[in-house]
C-alpha cells in the first residue's frame, strides 16, 4: 500500500450500486416489536452491491442474487450484480477479495461471477448454515440450499478465507463479526478521506435501525443485534458514515456517480 510515512492512513473509495428492489415491502415485515407499527405502511427495500476501491485492487462486498431468484421471490430486477459493478468499471474476473456479510439468498447468489476471488466469511456463519438449526423454517426461508452447497464447495476448493471475529484484510479495510441478524453476520470498516466508513449490510437494513436503535424483524440473537449497533458506532468516523444495507435513501444521502443518479453513489 502507498504510505509515505508509517502513520499515513489509507484513503480508499467506497461505492454502492443498486441492482434490484422490493417496492412493496411493509414496515411490519421489517421492524421488530412495537416499531413495526403501522404494520401495513409500504416501505420499499433496495438491493445493493458494494465496492471498496483501493490503489492495489477492487474489493467487493456481497454478490446479490440472480435474475432467476428475483423471479422466484418476486423482486424487481434491474441488472446482475456483476453488471452493476461493471458500471463502475469493475472487472469481476480480476477481483481478488469478496466479503460475504452473511449467507442469506440476497447476498451470496452470484459468487460464480468472481472466478478468481477469495471469499471472506465468518466461521460461525458457515457453521450455522451447515448445522442443526438451518432447516428450521424461520431460518431456512432466507437461504437457498444451492447457494450453501456452492459455498461449501468453494471452501473445499480453498476459495474461502475464514475469519473468526475481526481481521484487517488489507491496510484500512477490516471485517468485524457482529452476529445478531445471522449467527455470523459481519460488517466492513473502510478508512477513507471522510473518516472510517462502515458497510453495515444487514446489521442495519435501514437508517432507521442503527440510527434509532430499532432492530430489524429478522435475527438469530436480539442482544447481538443491539451489540452490532454499538460496534458500528464505535468503528465509524461519524454516525452518517454507517451505510445501511437495503435503504433506498442511500441513493439520495450520498453523492450520485456521474451519469448513474438513482443507481450508484460514491460514499467516500
Ligand atoms: Zn439482505
Amino acid at each position: 500500500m502507498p504510505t509515505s510515512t508509517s502513520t499515513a492512513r489509507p484513503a480508499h473509495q467506497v461505492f454502492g450500486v443498486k441492482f434490484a428492489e422490493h417496492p412493496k415491502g411493509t414496515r411490519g415485515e421489517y421492524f421488530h416489536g412495537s416499531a413495526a407499527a403501522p404494520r401495513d405502511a409500504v416501505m420499499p427495500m433496495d438491493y445493493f452491491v458494494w465496492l471498496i476501491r483501493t490503489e492495489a485492487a477492487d474489493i467487493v462486498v456481497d454478490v446479490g442474487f440472480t435474475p432467476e431468484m428475483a423471479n422466484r421471490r418476486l423482486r424487481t430486477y434491474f441488472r446482475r450484480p456483476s453488471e452493476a459493478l461493471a458500471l463502475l468499471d469493475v472487472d469481476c474476473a480480476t477481483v481478488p477479495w469478496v466479503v460475504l456479510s452473511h449467507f442469506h439468498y440476497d447476498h451470496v447468489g452470484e459468487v460464480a461471477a468472481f472466478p478468481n476471488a477469495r471469499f471472506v466469511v465468518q466461521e460461525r456463519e458457515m457453521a450455522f448454515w451447515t448445522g442443526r438449526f438451518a432447516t428450521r423454517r424461520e431460518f431456512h426461508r432466507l437461504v437457498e440450499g444451492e447457494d450453501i452447497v456452492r459455498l461449501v464447495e468453494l471452501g473445499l476448493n480453498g476459495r474461502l478465507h475464514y475469519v473468526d471475529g475481526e481481521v484487517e484484510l488489507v491496510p484500512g479495510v477490516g471485517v468485524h463479526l457482529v452476529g445478531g441478524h445471522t449467527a455470523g453476520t459481519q460488517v466492513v470498516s473502510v478508512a477513507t478521506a471522510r473518516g472510517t466508513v462502515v458497510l453495515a449490510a444487514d446489521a442495519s437494513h435501514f437508517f432507521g435501525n442503527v440510527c434509532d436503535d430499532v432492530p430489524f424483524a429478522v435475527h438469530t440473537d436480539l442482544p447481538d443485534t443491539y451489540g452490532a449497533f454499538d460496534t458500528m458506532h464505535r468503528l465509524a468516523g461519524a454516525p452518517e458514515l454507517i451505510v445501511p444495507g437495503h435503504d433506498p435513501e442511500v441513493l439520495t444521502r450520498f453523492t450520485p456517480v456521474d451519469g448513474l443518479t438513482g443507481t450508484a453513489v460514491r460514499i467516500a
Side-chain angles (χ1 to χ4, degrees):
M1 295 304 298
T3 49
S4 53
T5 72
S6 60
T7 55
R9 241 173 142 264
H12 306 309
Q13 297 177 11
V14 184
F15 299 86
V17 202
K18 174 176 172 174
F19 68 93
E21 68 182 22
H22 182 36
K24 293 188 180 130
T26 61
R27 197 172 171 87
E29 280 177 76
Y30 296 151
F31 283 90
H32 178 69
S34 56
R39 295 194 64 85
D40 53 1
V42 171
M43 208 172 161
M45 179 182 266
D46 280 356
Y47 296 87
F48 296 95
V49 282
W50 311 96
L51 169 66
I52 300 163
R53 183 154 272 163
T54 76
E55 288 206 3
D58 286 338
I59 299 170
V60 169
V61 179
D62 287 339
V63 298
F65 52 85
T66 62
E68 295 75 26
M69 191 56 55
N71 278 337
R72 203 187 302 174
R73 292 187 181 254
L74 305 177
R75 299 301 188 255
T76 306
Y77 201 75
F78 300 109
R79 55 190 70 80
R80 283 184 178 270
S82 54
E83 294 165 347
L85 290 163
L87 295 173
L88 300 176
D89 299 320
V90 176
D91 177 6
C92 292
T94 65
V95 167
W97 291 109
V98 174
V99 178
L100 298 176
S101 64
H102 64 302
F103 288 4
H104 283 167
Y105 82 93
D106 53 321
H107 298 261
V108 298
E110 284 265 82
V111 291
F114 300 86
N116 291 300
R118 278 171 68 78
F119 296 89
V120 182
V121 304
Q122 291 285 338
E123 286 180 17
R124 282 173 217 202
E125 189 69 359
M126 181 60 89
F128 184 88
W129 294 112
T130 52
R132 62 185 287 217
F133 291 114
T135 55
R136 305 303 257 275
R137 187 181 176 282
E138 277 309 303
F139 295 124
H140 192 272
R141 70 185 177 87
L142 292 166
V143 295
E144 294 293 333
E146 64 206 53
D147 289 339
I148 304 300
V149 168
R150 202 176 293 117
L151 288 163
V152 169
E153 251 173 10
L154 284 170
L156 292 171
N157 292 332
R159 300 271 313 279
L160 298 187
H161 182 81
Y162 282 109
V163 178
D164 182 19
E166 198 165 58
V167 78
E168 192 171 42
L169 276 186
V170 301
V173 180
V175 298
H176 312 263
L177 172 70
V178 292
H181 178 59
T182 65
T185 290
Q186 59 186 343
V187 301
V188 184
S189 64
V190 188
T192 77
R194 292 184 67 188
T196 299
V197 165
V198 175
L199 294 173
D202 291 8
S204 184
H205 290 63
F206 298 101
F207 286 102
N209 297 122
V210 67
C211 298
D212 301 338
D213 209 35
V214 174
F216 191 70
V218 174
H219 43 258
T220 56
D221 188 303
L222 189 53
D224 279 355
T225 299
Y226 282 115
F229 295 163
D230 295 344
T231 298
M232 291 189 285
H233 280 297
R234 173 174 59 79
L235 292 169
E240 60 270 24
L241 296 179
I242 302 174
V243 186
H246 287 282
D247 197 322
E249 283 192 24
V250 163
L251 293 171
T252 53
R253 292 202 194 189
F254 297 104
T255 310
V257 174
D258 273 352
L260 294 173
T261 299
T263 295
V265 284
R266 177 167 170 175
I267 292 153

